[in-house]
Amino acid sequence: MHDYIIVGQGIAGTLVAHFLLQQGKKVLVIDHQHHQAASMVAAGLINPITGRNFVKSWRIDDLIPFAIQTYQQLEQQLKVSILETKNVAMLFNSVKTENDWLVRSSNPDVVDYVAKDFYVDFYKDFLDDVQNGVEFKQAGRVRLKELILAYQALLQKEGNYLEEQFDYQALEIEPNQVQYKGVVAQRIIFAEGFQATQNPYFNYLPFAPAKGDILLVNIPNYPAKDKLVKHGIFIIHLKEDLYWVGSTYNRDYKTIDPTPKAKKSLEERLSRVLKCPFDLVDHITAVRPTVRDRRPFIGQHPHFKALYLFNGMGAKGSYLSPLFAAQFVAHLEQGKDLDQEVDIARYYSYFEEK
Ligand SMILES: Cc1cc2nc3c(=O)[nH]c(=O)nc-3n(C[C@H](O)[C@H](O)[C@H](O)COP(=O)(O)OP(=O)(O)OC[C@H]3O[C@@H](n4cnc5c(N)ncnc54)[C@H](O)[C@@H]3O)c2cc1C
């Protein structure tokens, strides 16, 4: 008898499995390794101040320290490098943006995140249209793909992993347990990312997935490897001369595959700002599990009490998932209350209407 089946091993399912296994639970993780899983394509940025209005990310003061602690612990356990601590260099291309920042810069919300050593002339050497900028600290990048693959290897080694597409028709639900192809578990947790829209038990929720296109490019001799540069688009160092460039954000997509239009748009945006030459290596896409009210979807099914959801990490899975996975496991195992802002109970009326 298993304690839990988890469907989906993106960053969400990985961290729920991690905290459950830490508590000695018997867990089976099922994943079909979808190549457009958001976690395998995302840059994994932890970015405390976002958007044109320089707004502090929701709950960021709690989320970042917990994320850092969790990833450092996983680095030790898995013996892989997961966390890169780097400042975000946000560059402005107009006097208006510079003025907007000046208005915000003394706000107590953002002051603690401003790095002192920003030097704009450094960026003007290799980027066009740089008016000014600011650097934010307590930022970084989580190597999500490396973490997920290492965790998958651990699950496989311990016999806790099944590679297949979960078949919802094969799930037998009883009041206090579920059965899936002969595996009996007390509870099942769905963490399928954007593919939860295909889940017959939870697709009543208002998911609003957003497709993202990114480019992988080679930029020889790029001088800002140690910064997460945002100049309209992000330019993020991955390894050697390879960089992640993106991304688009599209809720109105017709296909989840790469399109020539998005590729052209990203190439043009990069050419506009980058003075040095680059070579295109790849163009890839994935879909973010974004939701209408921009808060995670976590909790118990309104009718089937053995069914749970851990999803809705949106565009911020690398720093939302650690704290909320830990809180979710404390809810499941120690009966702690779920945060009302993330609890899917806020949408139970949608289920009743369906
Ligand atoms: C272009 C792009 C850039 C991004 N950049 C950032 C960033 O810089 N920082 C940040 O924090 N976030 C970023 N995000 C968002 C982040 O990627 C997501 O929040 C996060 O990865 C969601 O993780 P998840 O585990 O919920 O979903 P996913 O990563 O999609 O994982 C879901 C898993 O479930 C499996 N699955 C689904 N259905 C089934 C089934 N029926 N049977 C078996 N397995 C199944 C899939 O194979 C997959 O492995 C970005 C996303 C995109 C697309």
Side-chain angles (χ1 to χ4, degrees), residues 6-15 29-47 71 140-142 144 148 152 161-168 180 190-199 210-214 234 236 244-249 284-290 310-321:
I6 299 176
V7 181
Q9 198 230 331
I11 189 60
T14 299
L15 289 172
V29 177
I30 302 175
D31 195 296
H32 65 150
Q33 300 184 6
H34 196 280
H35 65 285
Q36 276 152 324
S39 308
M40 301 307 252
V41 174
L45 303 184
I46 295 178
N47 189 9
Y71 292 127
R141 179 173 113 76
V142 184
L144 294 173
I148 288 166
Q152 194 180 99
Y161 186 84
L162 181 62
E163 184 185 336
E164 71 169 41
Q165 175 155 14
F166 185 82
D167 176 4
Y168 299 98
Y180 179 71
F190 292 101
E192 311 108 310
F194 82 100
Q195 291 171 88
T197 49
Q198 310 299 316
N199 180 326
K211 180 182 173 185
D213 289 66
I214 67 122
F234 271 107
I236 310 294
W244 185 105
V245 174
S247 56
T248 62
Y249 190 97
I284 43 183
T285 56
V287 184
R288 303 169 182 89
T290 31
F310 188 81
N311 207 317
M313 299 300 134
K316 299 176 178 174
S318 60
Y319 50 103
L320 289 176
S321 304

Side-chain angles (χ1 to χ4, degrees), residues 278-291:
F278 66 89
D279 296 318
L280 182 68
V281 175
D282 208 351
H283 166 210
I284 43 183
T285 56
V287 184
R288 303 169 182 89
T290 31
V291 307

